[in-house]
């Protein structure tokens, strides 16, 4: 397949629909001790034995800090409308009350280059790389961190203003809070039910505090939040309650306070002993209007009650899986989007801000035939099209990821990129999935001339 086939009547063919690629700072930049950057919680976490596969770290990663110009040229050559990336908080505010202009200027070069090439920029303020000096004061378990995040949002948006086309406050607060402070799988590696929910509330409070600041400093930009979401399905008829709870904790917990001004009752009741301290005006702050919601989708979950009444996920061992072991289930993306439109009367425009698959990709004679990923993207683009035809206001799609990179606790063992990276030489090679994406976008551009 040399390009993704879009139905002739698909809104994905219109020039108004945004196609892009996505990355994040710690996963690609490297240069962790250059340009005035200070350590993040991920620099610390990677040094702890057994936390990251092979003891990998982001010290060099894709060396994007030095190779950013060629990477932006590569992105432009794909024909995308937009580039979604994150700013590293440790590059901007190296200590309380100090602003590192060198860090701001690094991202300004990227933003200016994207605009010069006709691409919009979608910038995430927080993609999990909290400055270590804030973690030393409690991190997201400390309510004060929410206010520090607002200060950081002030610095970035005051400097860039409307030059950033689309601002995202947080990427996947579920992962930052629950994998980082509840289950200990991600930085900073803390275990605790109450801790996880406390961190989640402070993250959401930080989002709410930042929103009016972003609107004031960048009134012509769009502002929102990105959540990861896995639609849940019952293992049997008697397990519908397990699936309902899975969705409530997985993503309603983060979307309900933004769109409804309250946390979902299913979670409040089941986790009553672990609820965070919620002050009187907190939910009003979090309920600030948003211009869009970003949805990161990879797979679904199938849930049941076990013999103890606990909810567990049931692996679908007979289904096709990616190299990371995640079930490939495109219908889940359509179902998820339709469920969101049914749940939220005030659902704003939706971006599919991440979607992709890990593969066991090998470069053979200068080519990477990532056949499974090609099919994955084709089927998920079709799923987005079906959701739009069902009335869901999806306005854009970003492939994850632009290139192979540091994949958090998996280190460099998992390759999600459309572009292959040889980590020894830093050579970039377009995989078949990228070539198909490029050809699709070239065809669309011809149609819209």
């Amino acid at each position: 397949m040399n390009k993704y086939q879009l139905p002739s009547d698909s809104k994905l063919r219109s020039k108004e629909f945004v196609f892009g690629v996505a990355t994040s700072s710690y996963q690609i930049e490297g240069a962790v001790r250059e340009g005035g950057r200070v350590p993040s919680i991920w620099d610390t976490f990677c040094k702890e034995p057994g936390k990251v596969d092979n003891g990998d770290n982001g010290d060099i990663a894709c060396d994007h800090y030095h190779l950013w110009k060629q990477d932006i040229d590569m992105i432009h050559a794909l024909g995308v409308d937009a580039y979604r990336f994150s700013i590293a908080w440790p590059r901007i505010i190296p200590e309380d009350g100090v602003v590192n202009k060198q860090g701001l200027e690094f991202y300004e070069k990227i933003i200016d280059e994207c605009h010069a090439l006709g691409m919009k920029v979608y910038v995430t303020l927080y993609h999990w790389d909290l400055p270590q000096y804030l973690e030393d004061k409690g991190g997201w378990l400390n309510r004060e961190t929410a206010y520090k995040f607002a200060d950081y949002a002030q610095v970035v948006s005051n400097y860039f203003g409307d030059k950033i086309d689309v601002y995202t406050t947080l990427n996947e607060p579920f992962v930052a809070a629950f994998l980082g402070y509840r289950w200990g799988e991600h930085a900073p590696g803390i275990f605790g039910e109450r801790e996880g929910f406390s961190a989640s509330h402070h993250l959401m409070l930080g989002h709410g505090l930042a929103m009016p600041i972003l609107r004031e400093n960048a009134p012509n930009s769009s502002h929102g939040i990105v959540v990861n979401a896995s639609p849940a399905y019952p293992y049997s008829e008697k397990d519908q309650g397990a699936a309902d709870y899975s969705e409530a904790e997985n993503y309603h917990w983060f979307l309900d306070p933004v769109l409804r001004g309250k946390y979902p009752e299913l979670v409040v009741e089941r986790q009553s002993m672990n609820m965070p301290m919620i002050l009187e005006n907190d939910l009003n702050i979090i309920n600030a209007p948003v211009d869009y919601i970003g949805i990161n989708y990879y797979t679904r979950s199938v849930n049941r009650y076990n013999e103890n009444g606990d909810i567990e996920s049931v692996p679908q061992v007979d289904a096709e899986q990616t190299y990371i072991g995640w079930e490939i289930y495109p219908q889940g993306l359509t179902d998820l989007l339709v469920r969101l439109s049914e749940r939220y009367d005030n659902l704003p425009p939706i971006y599919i801000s991440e979607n992709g698959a890990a593969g066991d990709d090998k470069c053979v004679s200068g080519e990477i035939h990532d056949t499974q990923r090609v099919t994955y993207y084709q089927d998920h683009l079709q799923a987005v099209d079906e959701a739009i035809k069902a009335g869901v206001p999806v306005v854009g799609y970003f492939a994850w990821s632009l290139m192979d990179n540091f994949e958090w606790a998996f280190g460099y063992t998992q390759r999600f990129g459309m572009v292959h990276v040889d980590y020894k030489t830093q050579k970039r090679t377009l995989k078949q999935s990228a070539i198909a994406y490029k050809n699709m976008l070239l065809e669309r551009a011809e149609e819209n001339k």
Side-chain angles (χ1 to χ4, degrees):
M1 186 186 298
N2 65 1
K3 71 173 182 295
Y4 302 115
Q5 305 292 335
L6 300 178
S8 59
D9 61 342
S10 174
K11 288 191 176 180
L12 277 66
R13 287 182 174 272
S14 75
K15 61 183 178 182
E16 286 76 27
F17 191 89
V18 176
F19 276 102
V21 290
T23 65
S24 88
S25 51
Y26 190 73
Q27 292 182 269
I28 67 168
E29 285 180 2
V32 296
R33 288 173 287 275
E34 295 183 48
R37 182 188 180 278
V38 297
S40 78
I41 56 175
W42 273 94
D43 296 294
T44 303
F45 189 71
C46 290
K47 293 176 182 176
E48 298 182 26
K51 296 295 187 180
V52 177
D53 286 356
N54 298 327
D56 292 338
N57 59 56
D59 287 4
I60 300 173
C62 305
D63 200 23
H64 176 73
Y65 187 81
H66 298 111
L67 302 177
W68 67 269
K69 179 65 168 63
Q70 76 170 55
D71 288 340
I72 299 304
D73 288 343
M74 179 176 66
I75 294 167
H76 177 245
L78 291 175
V80 299
D81 307 302
Y83 175 38
R84 175 178 177 251
F85 62 96
S86 73
I87 288 177
W89 191 346
R91 287 200 189 279
I92 307 304
I93 304 180
E95 56 182 291
D96 279 351
V98 175
V99 176
N100 177 31
K101 194 161 187 286
Q102 193 175 352
L104 291 166
E105 289 171 345
F106 167 68
Y107 294 107
E108 188 169 29
K109 291 186 295 185
I110 292 173
I111 291 167
D112 287 348
E113 187 68 14
C114 285
H115 285 160
L117 294 172
M119 296 184 295
K120 292 187 175 182
V121 292
Y122 286 56
V123 170
T124 302
L125 295 179
Y126 186 67
H127 199 130
W128 314 345
D129 44 358
L130 184 72
Q132 181 61 42
Y133 67 82
L134 288 177
E135 183 60 37
D136 293 342
K137 299 176 182 178
W140 290 109
L141 298 180
N142 182 352
R143 182 182 173 90
E144 184 64 21
T145 300
Y147 293 86
K148 296 297 183 183
F149 177 74
D151 293 342
Y152 161 57
Q154 166 66 28
V155 169
V156 174
S157 59
N158 183 62
Y159 186 85
F160 291 111
D162 293 328
K163 185 179 275 194
I164 291 174
D165 300 286
V166 177
Y167 285 83
T168 295
T169 52
L170 309 175
N171 179 78
E172 298 187 358
F174 171 96
V175 175
F178 290 171
L179 270 66
Y181 291 86
R182 185 181 179 189
W183 300 317
E185 297 174 17
H186 277 196
I190 291 172
F191 294 84
E193 291 293 297
R194 189 175 183 86
E195 287 80 357
F197 283 100
S198 180
S200 73
H201 179 64
H202 294 152
L203 277 154
M204 297 310 297
L205 180 62
H207 156 80
L209 291 167
M211 286 301 293
I213 295 170
L214 297 176
R215 289 201 184 282
E216 180 177 354
N217 289 337
N220 298 311
S221 303
S222 294
H223 308 282
I225 188 171
V226 167
V227 303
N228 56 301
S230 297
Y233 300 80
Y235 181 69
S236 67
E237 287 185 12
K238 65 181 181 179
D239 297 311
Q240 183 61 53
D244 291 343
Y245 180 82
S246 176
E247 289 194 343
E249 188 178 285
N250 173 245
Y251 58 95
H252 298 162
W253 179 257
F254 301 94
L255 288 180
D256 276 16
V258 173
L259 299 177
R260 289 180 163 184
K262 60 182 181 180
Y263 285 114
E265 284 300 320
L266 282 177
V267 183
V268 173
E269 292 171 4
R270 191 175 182 91
Q271 297 286 349
S272 60
M273 299 296 292
N274 299 311
M275 283 296 98
M277 180 182 293
I278 302 173
L279 301 188
E280 184 177 355
N281 200 41
D282 284 2
L283 287 168
N284 289 331
I285 293 171
I286 299 170
N287 191 214
V290 291
D291 299 317
Y292 74 91
I293 293 291
I295 296 295
N296 295 350
Y297 174 81
Y298 292 94
T299 188
R300 66 166 177 170
S301 66
V302 177
N303 299 94
R304 69 181 175 194
Y305 294 109
N306 64 20
E307 61 274 11
N308 299 319
D310 296 325
I311 296 169
E312 62 183 16
S313 180
V314 183
Q316 301 302 290
V317 294
D318 295 329
E320 184 182 5
Q321 298 179 345
T322 67
Y323 188 63
I324 210 169
W326 294 350
E327 180 189 4
I328 298 176
Y329 195 74
Q331 181 63 41
L333 180 51
T334 305
D335 293 346
L336 167 65
L337 293 168
V338 170
R339 291 179 193 181
L340 288 172
S341 67
E342 292 171 347
R343 182 176 180 87
Y344 301 107
D345 295 334
N346 60 336
L347 186 68
I350 296 289
Y351 289 104
I352 305 305
S353 37
E354 288 183 23
N355 180 230
D360 185 19
D361 304 325
K362 301 288 194 302
C363 189
V364 179
S365 301
E367 295 184 347
I368 302 95
H369 293 277
D370 55 338
T371 306
Q372 186 185 65
R373 186 179 292 106
V374 170
T375 303
Y376 181 100
Y377 280 127
Q378 173 67 61
D379 292 345
H380 284 77
L381 288 168
Q382 180 68 43
V384 172
D385 184 62
E386 291 171 4
I388 293 173
K389 288 175 178 174
V392 185
V394 185
V395 296
Y397 177 94
F398 289 78
W400 183 270
S401 171
L402 165 67
M403 56 186 167
D404 299 332
N405 54 47
F406 176 79
E407 195 50 52
W408 307 111
F410 296 109
Y412 297 100
T413 65
Q414 303 289 348
R415 293 180 177 268
F416 272 88
M418 280 187 159
V419 176
H420 180 274
V421 176
D422 182 324
Y423 296 115
K424 292 181 179 178
T425 65
Q426 293 297 340
K427 181 181 179 181
R428 277 76 157 135
T429 305
L430 268 60
K431 303 176 187 178
Q432 285 302 119
S433 56
I435 294 168
Y437 204 54
K438 176 180 180 178
N439 290 341
M440 175 192 74
L441 295 175
L442 287 173
E443 179 182 79
R444 186 187 67 141
E446 285 295 318
E447 290 177 359
N448 287 306
K449 276 186 176 179

PDB file of all heavy atoms in Angstrom, residues 366-391:
ATOM      1  N   GLY A 366      18.214  -0.392   3.346  1.00  0.00           N
ATOM      2  CA  GLY A 366      17.759   0.992   3.314  1.00  0.00           C
ATOM      3  C   GLY A 366      16.259   1.175   3.333  1.00  0.00           C
ATOM      4  O   GLY A 366      15.780   2.309   3.183  1.00  0.00           O
ATOM      5  N   GLU A 367      15.481   0.095   3.533  1.00  0.00           N
ATOM      6  CA  GLU A 367      14.024   0.197   3.546  1.00  0.00           C
ATOM      7  C   GLU A 367      13.456  -0.449   4.799  1.00  0.00           C
ATOM      8  O   GLU A 367      14.032  -1.414   5.330  1.00  0.00           O
ATOM      9  CB  GLU A 367      13.415  -0.466   2.308  1.00  0.00           C
ATOM     10  CG  GLU A 367      13.793   0.222   0.999  1.00  0.00           C
ATOM     11  CD  GLU A 367      13.083  -0.406  -0.196  1.00  0.00           C
ATOM     12  OE1 GLU A 367      12.510  -1.515  -0.034  1.00  0.00           O
ATOM     13  OE2 GLU A 367      13.101   0.207  -1.280  1.00  0.00           O
ATOM     14  N   ILE A 368      12.333   0.077   5.259  1.00  0.00           N
ATOM     15  CA  ILE A 368      11.631  -0.499   6.415  1.00  0.00           C
ATOM     16  C   ILE A 368      10.189  -0.757   6.018  1.00  0.00           C
ATOM     17  O   ILE A 368       9.414   0.173   5.798  1.00  0.00           O
ATOM     18  CB  ILE A 368      11.670   0.441   7.653  1.00  0.00           C
ATOM     19  CG1 ILE A 368      13.111   0.757   8.054  1.00  0.00           C
ATOM     20  CG2 ILE A 368      10.922  -0.213   8.823  1.00  0.00           C
ATOM     21  CD1 ILE A 368      13.641   2.043   7.490  1.00  0.00           C
ATOM     22  N   HIS A 369       9.864  -2.026   5.890  1.00  0.00           N
ATOM     23  CA  HIS A 369       8.518  -2.419   5.482  1.00  0.00           C
ATOM     24  C   HIS A 369       7.697  -2.737   6.739  1.00  0.00           C
ATOM     25  O   HIS A 369       7.584  -3.893   7.158  1.00  0.00           O
ATOM     26  CB  HIS A 369       8.578  -3.616   4.530  1.00  0.00           C
ATOM     27  CG  HIS A 369       9.214  -3.289   3.216  1.00  0.00           C
ATOM     28  ND1 HIS A 369       8.520  -2.696   2.181  1.00  0.00           N
ATOM     29  CD2 HIS A 369      10.499  -3.418   2.785  1.00  0.00           C
ATOM     30  CE1 HIS A 369       9.332  -2.503   1.156  1.00  0.00           C
ATOM     31  NE2 HIS A 369      10.541  -2.934   1.505  1.00  0.00           N
ATOM     32  N   ASP A 370       7.135  -1.700   7.308  1.00  0.00           N
ATOM     33  CA  ASP A 370       6.330  -1.847   8.530  1.00  0.00           C
ATOM     34  C   ASP A 370       4.866  -2.098   8.159  1.00  0.00           C
ATOM     35  O   ASP A 370       3.992  -1.273   8.385  1.00  0.00           O
ATOM     36  CB  ASP A 370       6.486  -0.618   9.424  1.00  0.00           C
ATOM     37  CG  ASP A 370       6.167   0.694   8.724  1.00  0.00           C
ATOM     38  OD1 ASP A 370       6.226   0.744   7.473  1.00  0.00           O
ATOM     39  OD2 ASP A 370       5.855   1.685   9.424  1.00  0.00           O
ATOM     40  N   THR A 371       4.643  -3.270   7.586  1.00  0.00           N
ATOM     41  CA  THR A 371       3.338  -3.605   7.012  1.00  0.00           C
ATOM     42  C   THR A 371       2.216  -3.503   8.031  1.00  0.00           C
ATOM     43  O   THR A 371       1.125  -2.992   7.718  1.00  0.00           O
ATOM     44  CB  THR A 371       3.381  -5.029   6.426  1.00  0.00           C
ATOM     45  OG1 THR A 371       4.477  -5.124   5.513  1.00  0.00           O
ATOM     46  CG2 THR A 371       2.077  -5.359   5.712  1.00  0.00           C
ATOM     47  N   GLN A 372       2.447  -3.992   9.239  1.00  0.00           N
ATOM     48  CA  GLN A 372       1.386  -3.940  10.246  1.00  0.00           C
ATOM     49  C   GLN A 372       1.000  -2.502  10.559  1.00  0.00           C
ATOM     50  O   GLN A 372      -0.181  -2.179  10.697  1.00  0.00           O
ATOM     51  CB  GLN A 372       1.812  -4.660  11.531  1.00  0.00           C
ATOM     52  CG  GLN A 372       0.684  -4.746  12.557  1.00  0.00           C
ATOM     53  CD  GLN A 372       1.119  -5.347  13.878  1.00  0.00           C
ATOM     54  OE1 GLN A 372       1.939  -4.763  14.591  1.00  0.00           O
ATOM     55  NE2 GLN A 372       0.590  -6.510  14.213  1.00  0.00           N
ATOM     56  N   ARG A 373       1.975  -1.617  10.664  1.00  0.00           N
ATOM     57  CA  ARG A 373       1.683  -0.220  10.972  1.00  0.00           C
ATOM     58  C   ARG A 373       0.931   0.455   9.827  1.00  0.00           C
ATOM     59  O   ARG A 373       0.038   1.279  10.053  1.00  0.00           O
ATOM     60  CB  ARG A 373       2.972   0.548  11.291  1.00  0.00           C
ATOM     61  CG  ARG A 373       2.715   1.973  11.750  1.00  0.00           C
ATOM     62  CD  ARG A 373       3.986   2.732  12.091  1.00  0.00           C
ATOM     63  NE  ARG A 373       4.647   2.196  13.287  1.00  0.00           N
ATOM     64  CZ  ARG A 373       5.751   1.467  13.270  1.00  0.00           C
ATOM     65  NH1 ARG A 373       6.326   1.174  12.111  1.00  0.00           N
ATOM     66  NH2 ARG A 373       6.286   1.019  14.387  1.00  0.00           N
ATOM     67  N   VAL A 374       1.298   0.124   8.597  1.00  0.00           N
ATOM     68  CA  VAL A 374       0.583   0.682   7.442  1.00  0.00           C
ATOM     69  C   VAL A 374      -0.901   0.323   7.534  1.00  0.00           C
ATOM     70  O   VAL A 374      -1.775   1.176   7.373  1.00  0.00           O
ATOM     71  CB  VAL A 374       1.195   0.168   6.127  1.00  0.00           C
ATOM     72  CG1 VAL A 374       0.317   0.544   4.939  1.00  0.00           C
ATOM     73  CG2 VAL A 374       2.610   0.720   5.938  1.00  0.00           C
ATOM     74  N   THR A 375      -1.179  -0.944   7.804  1.00  0.00           N
ATOM     75  CA  THR A 375      -2.578  -1.379   7.929  1.00  0.00           C
ATOM     76  C   THR A 375      -3.237  -0.732   9.133  1.00  0.00           C
ATOM     77  O   THR A 375      -4.421  -0.357   9.081  1.00  0.00           O
ATOM     78  CB  THR A 375      -2.641  -2.913   8.043  1.00  0.00           C
ATOM     79  OG1 THR A 375      -1.996  -3.494   6.901  1.00  0.00           O
ATOM     80  CG2 THR A 375      -4.072  -3.398   8.111  1.00  0.00           C
ATOM     81  N   TYR A 376      -2.497  -0.610  10.223  1.00  0.00           N
ATOM     82  CA  TYR A 376      -3.029   0.008  11.436  1.00  0.00           C
ATOM     83  C   TYR A 376      -3.521   1.419  11.138  1.00  0.00           C
ATOM     84  O   TYR A 376      -4.645   1.803  11.495  1.00  0.00           O
ATOM     85  CB  TYR A 376      -1.939   0.031  12.513  1.00  0.00           C
ATOM     86  CG  TYR A 376      -2.361   0.625  13.839  1.00  0.00           C
ATOM     87  CD1 TYR A 376      -2.717  -0.196  14.909  1.00  0.00           C
ATOM     88  CD2 TYR A 376      -2.389   2.005  14.038  1.00  0.00           C
ATOM     89  CE1 TYR A 376      -3.094   0.343  16.139  1.00  0.00           C
ATOM     90  CE2 TYR A 376      -2.761   2.558  15.259  1.00  0.00           C
ATOM     91  CZ  TYR A 376      -3.109   1.720  16.299  1.00  0.00           C
ATOM     92  OH  TYR A 376      -3.498   2.259  17.509  1.00  0.00           O
ATOM     93  N   TYR A 377      -2.679   2.230  10.499  1.00  0.00           N
ATOM     94  CA  TYR A 377      -3.081   3.606  10.193  1.00  0.00           C
ATOM     95  C   TYR A 377      -4.269   3.634   9.232  1.00  0.00           C
ATOM     96  O   TYR A 377      -5.203   4.426   9.404  1.00  0.00           O
ATOM     97  CB  TYR A 377      -1.908   4.388   9.602  1.00  0.00           C
ATOM     98  CG  TYR A 377      -0.934   4.900  10.637  1.00  0.00           C
ATOM     99  CD1 TYR A 377       0.430   4.639  10.549  1.00  0.00           C
ATOM    100  CD2 TYR A 377      -1.368   5.664  11.717  1.00  0.00           C
ATOM    101  CE1 TYR A 377       1.329   5.123  11.486  1.00  0.00           C
ATOM    102  CE2 TYR A 377      -0.483   6.147  12.667  1.00  0.00           C
ATOM    103  CZ  TYR A 377       0.860   5.878  12.546  1.00  0.00           C
ATOM    104  OH  TYR A 377       1.734   6.349  13.493  1.00  0.00           O
ATOM    105  N   GLN A 378      -4.217   2.795   8.213  1.00  0.00           N
ATOM    106  CA  GLN A 378      -5.330   2.763   7.264  1.00  0.00           C
ATOM    107  C   GLN A 378      -6.652   2.482   7.979  1.00  0.00           C
ATOM    108  O   GLN A 378      -7.652   3.182   7.779  1.00  0.00           O
ATOM    109  CB  GLN A 378      -5.082   1.688   6.205  1.00  0.00           C
ATOM    110  CG  GLN A 378      -6.256   1.452   5.262  1.00  0.00           C
ATOM    111  CD  GLN A 378      -6.536   2.642   4.368  1.00  0.00           C
ATOM    112  OE1 GLN A 378      -5.682   3.050   3.589  1.00  0.00           O
ATOM    113  NE2 GLN A 378      -7.729   3.211   4.478  1.00  0.00           N
ATOM    114  N   ASP A 379      -6.661   1.490   8.834  1.00  0.00           N
ATOM    115  CA  ASP A 379      -7.900   1.088   9.503  1.00  0.00           C
ATOM    116  C   ASP A 379      -8.365   2.133  10.521  1.00  0.00           C
ATOM    117  O   ASP A 379      -9.571   2.336  10.716  1.00  0.00           O
ATOM    118  CB  ASP A 379      -7.708  -0.265  10.182  1.00  0.00           C
ATOM    119  CG  ASP A 379      -7.529  -1.402   9.179  1.00  0.00           C
ATOM    120  OD1 ASP A 379      -7.822  -1.194   7.992  1.00  0.00           O
ATOM    121  OD2 ASP A 379      -7.080  -2.490   9.590  1.00  0.00           O
ATOM    122  N   HIS A 380      -7.426   2.800  11.168  1.00  0.00           N
ATOM    123  CA  HIS A 380      -7.819   3.808  12.157  1.00  0.00           C
ATOM    124  C   HIS A 380      -8.265   5.117  11.502  1.00  0.00           C
ATOM    125  O   HIS A 380      -9.144   5.807  12.038  1.00  0.00           O
ATOM    126  CB  HIS A 380      -6.693   4.022  13.167  1.00  0.00           C
ATOM    127  CG  HIS A 380      -6.581   2.913  14.167  1.00  0.00           C
ATOM    128  ND1 HIS A 380      -6.006   1.703  13.854  1.00  0.00           N
ATOM    129  CD2 HIS A 380      -7.016   2.807  15.453  1.00  0.00           C
ATOM    130  CE1 HIS A 380      -6.067   0.907  14.918  1.00  0.00           C
ATOM    131  NE2 HIS A 380      -6.673   1.552  15.902  1.00  0.00           N
ATOM    132  N   LEU A 381      -7.710   5.449  10.351  1.00  0.00           N
ATOM    133  CA  LEU A 381      -8.232   6.590   9.601  1.00  0.00           C
ATOM    134  C   LEU A 381      -9.662   6.314   9.153  1.00  0.00           C
ATOM    135  O   LEU A 381     -10.522   7.196   9.182  1.00  0.00           O
ATOM    136  CB  LEU A 381      -7.336   6.894   8.403  1.00  0.00           C
ATOM    137  CG  LEU A 381      -5.982   7.525   8.731  1.00  0.00           C
ATOM    138  CD1 LEU A 381      -5.071   7.521   7.512  1.00  0.00           C
ATOM    139  CD2 LEU A 381      -6.163   8.948   9.251  1.00  0.00           C
ATOM    140  N   GLN A 382      -9.920   5.089   8.756  1.00  0.00           N
ATOM    141  CA  GLN A 382     -11.280   4.697   8.393  1.00  0.00           C
ATOM    142  C   GLN A 382     -12.206   4.809   9.607  1.00  0.00           C
ATOM    143  O   GLN A 382     -13.357   5.259   9.495  1.00  0.00           O
ATOM    144  CB  GLN A 382     -11.293   3.256   7.867  1.00  0.00           C
ATOM    145  CG  GLN A 382     -12.665   2.739   7.444  1.00  0.00           C
ATOM    146  CD  GLN A 382     -13.205   3.437   6.220  1.00  0.00           C
ATOM    147  OE1 GLN A 382     -12.458   3.655   5.265  1.00  0.00           O
ATOM    148  NE2 GLN A 382     -14.479   3.806   6.243  1.00  0.00           N
ATOM    149  N   ALA A 383     -11.697   4.435  10.782  1.00  0.00           N
ATOM    150  CA  ALA A 383     -12.500   4.530  12.007  1.00  0.00           C
ATOM    151  C   ALA A 383     -12.831   5.981  12.336  1.00  0.00           C
ATOM    152  O   ALA A 383     -13.951   6.284  12.788  1.00  0.00           O
ATOM    153  CB  ALA A 383     -11.750   3.876  13.172  1.00  0.00           C
ATOM    154  N   VAL A 384     -11.888   6.883  12.120  1.00  0.00           N
ATOM    155  CA  VAL A 384     -12.149   8.311  12.339  1.00  0.00           C
ATOM    156  C   VAL A 384     -13.222   8.799  11.365  1.00  0.00           C
ATOM    157  O   VAL A 384     -14.146   9.528  11.743  1.00  0.00           O
ATOM    158  CB  VAL A 384     -10.852   9.134  12.176  1.00  0.00           C
ATOM    159  CG1 VAL A 384     -11.163  10.629  12.212  1.00  0.00           C
ATOM    160  CG2 VAL A 384      -9.856   8.776  13.265  1.00  0.00           C
ATOM    161  N   ASP A 385     -13.093   8.380  10.121  1.00  0.00           N
ATOM    162  CA  ASP A 385     -14.079   8.783   9.111  1.00  0.00           C
ATOM    163  C   ASP A 385     -15.485   8.326   9.502  1.00  0.00           C
ATOM    164  O   ASP A 385     -16.460   9.083   9.359  1.00  0.00           O
ATOM    165  CB  ASP A 385     -13.676   8.187   7.762  1.00  0.00           C
ATOM    166  CG  ASP A 385     -14.593   8.629   6.643  1.00  0.00           C
ATOM    167  OD1 ASP A 385     -14.660   9.843   6.363  1.00  0.00           O
ATOM    168  OD2 ASP A 385     -15.267   7.770   6.048  1.00  0.00           O
ATOM    169  N   GLU A 386     -15.592   7.115  10.004  1.00  0.00           N
ATOM    170  CA  GLU A 386     -16.897   6.595  10.418  1.00  0.00           C
ATOM    171  C   GLU A 386     -17.467   7.399  11.585  1.00  0.00           C
ATOM    172  O   GLU A 386     -18.668   7.643  11.656  1.00  0.00           O
ATOM    173  CB  GLU A 386     -16.776   5.118  10.788  1.00  0.00           C
ATOM    174  CG  GLU A 386     -16.501   4.218   9.578  1.00  0.00           C
ATOM    175  CD  GLU A 386     -16.175   2.787   9.971  1.00  0.00           C
ATOM    176  OE1 GLU A 386     -16.239   2.472  11.187  1.00  0.00           O
ATOM    177  OE2 GLU A 386     -15.837   1.989   9.075  1.00  0.00           O
ATOM    178  N   ALA A 387     -16.607   7.822  12.499  1.00  0.00           N
ATOM    179  CA  ALA A 387     -17.073   8.633  13.634  1.00  0.00           C
ATOM    180  C   ALA A 387     -17.575   9.992  13.162  1.00  0.00           C
ATOM    181  O   ALA A 387     -18.592  10.502  13.651  1.00  0.00           O
ATOM    182  CB  ALA A 387     -15.951   8.803  14.655  1.00  0.00           C
ATOM    183  N   ILE A 388     -16.857  10.591  12.225  1.00  0.00           N
ATOM    184  CA  ILE A 388     -17.294  11.891  11.689  1.00  0.00           C
ATOM    185  C   ILE A 388     -18.661  11.750  11.020  1.00  0.00           C
ATOM    186  O   ILE A 388     -19.558  12.582  11.199  1.00  0.00           O
ATOM    187  CB  ILE A 388     -16.242  12.437  10.705  1.00  0.00           C
ATOM    188  CG1 ILE A 388     -14.951  12.796  11.454  1.00  0.00           C
ATOM    189  CG2 ILE A 388     -16.786  13.656   9.964  1.00  0.00           C
ATOM    190  CD1 ILE A 388     -13.798  13.176  10.542  1.00  0.00           C
ATOM    191  N   LYS A 389     -18.824  10.682  10.259  1.00  0.00           N
ATOM    192  CA  LYS A 389     -20.110  10.464   9.591  1.00  0.00           C
ATOM    193  C   LYS A 389     -21.231  10.199  10.588  1.00  0.00           C
ATOM    194  O   LYS A 389     -22.409  10.411  10.286  1.00  0.00           O
ATOM    195  CB  LYS A 389     -19.982   9.310   8.600  1.00  0.00           C
ATOM    196  CG  LYS A 389     -19.153   9.681   7.373  1.00  0.00           C
ATOM    197  CD  LYS A 389     -18.912   8.510   6.443  1.00  0.00           C
ATOM    198  CE  LYS A 389     -18.110   8.973   5.222  1.00  0.00           C
ATOM    199  NZ  LYS A 389     -17.724   7.838   4.343  1.00  0.00           N
ATOM    200  N   ALA A 390     -20.854   9.756  11.799  1.00  0.00           N
ATOM    201  CA  ALA A 390     -21.849   9.558  12.867  1.00  0.00           C
ATOM    202  C   ALA A 390     -22.128  10.847  13.627  1.00  0.00           C
ATOM    203  O   ALA A 390     -22.916  10.846  14.580  1.00  0.00           O
ATOM    204  CB  ALA A 390     -21.369   8.474  13.828  1.00  0.00           C
ATOM    205  N   GLY A 391     -21.463  11.941  13.229  1.00  0.00           N
ATOM    206  CA  GLY A 391     -21.748  13.230  13.830  1.00  0.00           C
ATOM    207  C   GLY A 391     -20.752  13.726  14.850  1.00  0.00           C
ATOM    208  O   GLY A 391     -20.972  14.764  15.488  1.00  0.00           O
TER     209      GLY A 391
END
